[in-house]
């Protein structure tokens, strides 16, 4: 059996402008694998079809855009360009035309119209898929995946995928709003009264993670990632490299605005109490609050309990007294009584320093108590009544942020990959990875390229509507 596929291209008047044989196949039916098209045949067919379609479309577009001020431009040869598409790399001739010369003009003498049509030499859908998969898996794996299933026989290597993905990330960076650090900047508080009633509270968790520094392999640098959870709306991720991003509050503010957050909306920041992340939450909005994560508080108390239990083996009464003191500290913190908690911590430190014991870890115990005292003192304004808020069903822990760190950083930047990163490369990849994970990358590309579509996505939307 033979199958011949012929492509006919018609203009707007339904006149045939091009006819080409796309494929001429010989099919022998003896086994299941003989049925239909093989992957290799499908790739060849799509690559040929794409080549013919793009060439015909470009030729038609160039003929319609060759006039300038009512005059037909004279040709000055052409030069080859490659248009990277999902179904192969299409080789094209980009013509150059002489521009009419006016007296005293110092402008260019020639023009290449095709640069206007394909300035980046890559189809938006291919750029989207490369950006999406490069955000999920290593660049080499993304290139191999695309080459396995699409008609991409050349150009699909790790370097190309990386360059394309970071190009999209740079465009996202350029679209950040103007320099602002809070909703209150250049705004009149009286105008807040005219704002509509917000939908509800939004909770934002921020935390940090470390990855290997490519430029100094003995050191790591910190990434700040977070997740915002509105009462009514989809959650969103945010991420940046601490120190590389000089205006992180602008990024957070832009992130909130994209979720429709208003100046009069209640915003709760939950962090581990670190100085870096705590400073990010300051002065963002007039109705915002910063909450010290209960998980990190109890984690530090647990470490102190382990030291006290070890002391109990050397001095039973002293160990029991210190354990009782820790129980009181935790009780006061749970009920939001920061004043009494700080008093109990000071008393605990005084009693521990007064002990004369042979406990070998006593010095470490005293150091940990001192650090805990400083930790609670520096985060005193972020202590809340955790018990009351917990009984009200509100969040008191940044456990969801710990999961965010694992999803955003560990699975792509660290742990299994064991890679070194530059600060620029990590920061840019974070911008596309966060949007890929929360599903907003497609809407970003649709804003850039309104005519871009994806059959799978459109099918899901149609099925959902049905």
């Amino acid at each position: 059996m033979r199958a011949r596929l012929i492509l006919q291209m018609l203009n707007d008047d339904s006149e045939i402008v091009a006819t080409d044989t796309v494929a001429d196949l010989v099919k022998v039916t003896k086994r299941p694998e003989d049925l239909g098209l093989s992957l290799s045949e499908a790739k060849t067919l799509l690559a040929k079809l794409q080549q013919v379609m793009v060439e015909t479309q470009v030729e038609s577009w160039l003929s319609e855009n060759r006039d300038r001020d009512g005059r037909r431009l004279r040709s000055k040869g052409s030069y080859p360009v490659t248009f990277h598409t999902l179904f192969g790399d299409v080789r094209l001739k980009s013509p150059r035309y002489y521009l009419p010369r006016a007296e005293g003009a110092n402008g260019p003498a020639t023009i290449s119209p095709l640069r206007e049509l394909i300035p980046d030499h890559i189809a938006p859908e291919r750029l989207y898929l490369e950006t999406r998969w490069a955000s999920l898996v290593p660049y080499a794996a993304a290139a191999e995946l695309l080459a396995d299933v699409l008609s991409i026989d050349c150009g699909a290597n790790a370097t190309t995928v990386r360059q394309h993905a970071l190009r999209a990330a740079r465009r996202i960076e350029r679209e950040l709003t103007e320099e602002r650090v809070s909703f209150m900047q250049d705004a009149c508080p009286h105008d807040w009264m005219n704002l509509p009633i917000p939908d509800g509270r939004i909770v934002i968790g921020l935390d940090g993670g470390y990855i290997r520094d490519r430029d100094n392999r003995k050191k790591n640098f910190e990434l700040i990632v977070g997740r915002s959870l509105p009462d009514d709306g989809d959650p969103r991720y945010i991420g940046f490299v601490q120190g590389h991003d000089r205006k992180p509050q602008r990024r957070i503010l832009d992130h909130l605005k994209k979720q429709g957050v208003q100046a009069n909306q209640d915003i709760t920041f939950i962090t581990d109490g670190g100085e870096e992340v705590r400073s990010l939450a300051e002065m963002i909005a007039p109705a915002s609050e910063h909450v010290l994560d209960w998980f990190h508080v109890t984690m530090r108390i647990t470490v102190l309990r382990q030291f006290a239990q070890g002391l109990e083996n050397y001095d039973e009464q002293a160990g029991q007294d210190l354990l009782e003191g820790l129980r009181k500290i935790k009780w006061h913190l749970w009920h939001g009584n920061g004043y009494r908690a700080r008093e109990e911590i000071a008393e605990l430190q005084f009693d521990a320093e007064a002990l004369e014991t042979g406990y070998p870890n006593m010095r470490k115990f005293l150091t940990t108590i001192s650090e805990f005292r400083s930790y609670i003192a520096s985060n005193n304004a972020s202590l809340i009544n955790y018990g009351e808020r917990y009984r009200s069903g509100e969040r008191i822990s940044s456990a969801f942020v710990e999961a965010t760190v694992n999803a955003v950083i560990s699975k792509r930047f660290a742990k299994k990959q064991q890679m070194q990163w530059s600060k620029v490369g990590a920061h840019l990849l974070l911008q596309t990875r966060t949007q890929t994970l929360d599903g907003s990358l497609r809407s970003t590309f649709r804003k850039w390229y309104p005519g871009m579509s994806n059959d799978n996505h459109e099918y899901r939307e149609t099925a959902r509507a049905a």
Side-chain angles (χ1 to χ4, degrees):
M1 179 182 294
R2 296 184 64 186
R4 177 173 295 168
L5 280 74
I6 299 175
L7 173 67
Q8 286 187 341
M9 299 287 289
L10 287 74
N11 60 18
D12 294 339
D13 297 327
S14 299
E15 299 174 346
I16 298 175
V17 296
T19 301
D20 205 318
T21 300
V22 176
D24 201 346
L25 306 173
V26 177
K27 303 296 293 184
V28 178
T29 309
K30 292 183 178 180
R31 294 175 295 274
E33 59 268 27
D34 297 329
L35 298 175
L37 294 172
S38 67
L39 180 59
S40 176
E41 291 171 335
K43 285 183 177 183
T44 303
L45 189 154
L46 287 172
K48 178 63 175 177
L49 179 64
Q50 187 80 317
Q51 181 78 33
V52 174
M53 287 191 66
V54 172
E55 285 179 347
T56 306
Q57 287 179 283
V58 167
E59 183 179 349
S60 175
W61 185 88
L62 286 172
S63 65
E64 296 173 358
N65 291 270
R66 186 171 177 176
D67 295 343
R68 178 65 61 91
D69 298 329
R71 298 173 57 184
R72 195 74 167 170
L73 299 179
R74 291 187 302 114
S75 175
K76 191 193 174 183
S78 62
Y79 60 93
V81 297
T82 301
F83 183 47
H84 305 285
T85 77
L86 284 177
F87 308 114
D89 293 342
V90 179
R91 315 295 179 180
L92 298 170
K93 291 183 178 179
S94 180
R96 297 172 64 192
Y97 300 125
Y98 286 105
L99 285 174
R101 300 293 293 177
E103 290 188 17
N106 295 320
T110 62
I111 185 175
S112 299
L114 202 54
R115 289 182 178 179
E116 177 186 343
L117 182 63
I118 50 173
D120 297 326
H121 294 183
I122 184 170
E125 282 191 313
R126 176 162 171 177
L127 181 61
Y128 167 74
L129 284 183
E130 288 187 355
T131 302
R132 170 178 165 78
W133 283 106
S135 302
L136 296 173
V137 298
Y139 296 120
E144 292 174 1
L145 172 66
L146 294 172
D148 281 345
V149 299
L150 297 173
S151 309
I152 302 175
D153 56 356
C154 62
N157 54 61
T159 301
T160 301
V161 170
R162 178 181 180 274
Q163 290 173 347
H164 290 167
L166 297 187
R167 179 190 300 173
R170 289 188 182 95
R171 185 168 180 177
I172 293 174
E173 282 287 277
R174 290 194 298 269
E175 292 183 349
L176 279 176
T177 56
E178 71 280 3
E179 175 55 29
R180 295 174 66 89
V181 296
S182 74
F183 282 98
M184 297 177 285
Q185 183 175 327
D186 301 327
C188 178
H190 180 72
D191 295 336
W192 302 337
M193 303 299 295
N194 299 325
L195 292 174
I197 299 175
D199 295 331
R201 178 184 295 272
I202 181 170
V203 178
I204 303 177
L206 297 172
D207 204 350
Y210 291 88
I211 61 175
R212 295 183 179 182
D213 192 337
R214 186 195 66 182
D215 300 323
N216 188 345
R217 298 185 179 182
K218 295 182 179 180
K219 293 185 178 180
N220 299 331
F221 60 86
E222 186 179 16
L223 310 183
I224 301 294
V225 297
R227 194 181 187 196
S228 54
L229 303 173
D231 287 344
D232 186 15
D234 297 327
R236 289 287 184 264
Y237 291 101
I238 186 173
F240 55 89
V241 173
Q242 175 69 9
H244 174 75
D245 188 350
R246 300 297 182 183
K247 307 294 182 183
Q249 286 184 310
R250 174 188 62 171
R251 187 176 303 277
I252 295 176
L253 189 64
D254 188 72
H255 174 83
L256 293 174
K257 285 184 175 180
K258 287 181 179 179
Q259 288 193 281
V261 176
Q262 303 173 172
N264 61 341
Q265 191 160 356
D266 291 337
I267 305 174
T268 299
F269 290 92
I270 301 181
T271 72
D272 61 1
E275 183 177 352
E276 293 84 2
V277 293
R278 188 173 68 244
S279 63
L280 294 175
E282 294 176 353
M283 303 298 293
I284 288 289
S288 65
E289 66 171 343
H290 178 250
V291 174
L292 180 62
D293 173 33
W294 178 249
F295 169 76
H296 284 85
V297 174
T298 56
M299 183 173 62
R300 290 171 181 265
I301 293 178
T302 299
V303 173
L304 291 172
R305 284 180 56 84
Q306 291 173 345
F307 278 118
Q309 289 169 351
L311 173 63
E312 196 175 10
N313 296 327
Y314 289 85
D315 191 330
E316 183 176 357
Q317 186 60 46
Q320 291 178 356
D321 291 342
L322 295 182
L323 286 171
E324 177 63 19
L326 288 171
R327 186 194 66 79
K328 292 180 181 179
I329 292 169
K330 186 175 181 179
W331 191 91
H332 289 307
L333 290 172
W334 176 253
H335 291 88
N337 193 338
Y339 176 77
R340 289 289 296 128
R342 294 196 307 276
E343 283 190 339
E344 292 290 345
I345 296 173
E347 185 175 340
L348 178 77
Q349 183 177 15
F350 178 79
D351 291 342
E353 290 175 345
L355 288 175
E356 294 182 2
T357 175
Y359 181 43
N361 290 325
M362 195 62 197
R363 179 174 295 180
K364 292 182 179 179
F365 189 14
L366 293 174
T367 301
T368 306
I369 295 174
S370 178
E371 291 175 349
F372 182 62
R373 184 178 181 181
S374 299
Y375 177 74
I376 295 299
S378 60
N379 288 282
N380 181 59
S382 303
L383 297 174
I384 61 169
N385 192 325
Y386 296 94
E388 180 179 336
R389 182 163 295 197
Y390 177 77
R391 290 187 293 272
S392 300
E394 299 182 26
R395 293 183 182 273
I396 61 173
S397 171
S398 63
F400 69 98
V401 190
E402 299 295 329
T404 298
V405 172
N406 189 53
V408 177
I409 299 178
S410 298
K411 292 184 178 180
R412 179 65 177 90
F413 291 88
K415 286 188 176 177
K416 295 182 180 180
Q417 308 303 332
Q418 296 299 314
M419 300 174 67
Q420 289 98 25
W421 296 84
S422 67
K423 291 185 177 181
V424 175
H427 178 77
L428 291 175
L429 184 60
L430 271 177
Q431 308 317 306
T432 59
R433 180 164 174 79
T434 51
Q435 291 200 14
T436 298
L437 292 177
D438 62 29
S440 61
L441 184 65
R442 167 156 293 279
S443 62
T444 297
F445 268 79
R446 283 194 166 182
K447 182 177 67 175
W448 296 343
Y449 311 102
M452 193 184 80
S453 63
N454 180 283
D455 291 341
N456 292 332
H457 182 78
E458 296 296 336
Y459 175 78
R460 289 196 298 270
E461 292 295 327
T462 304
R464 189 180 298 114

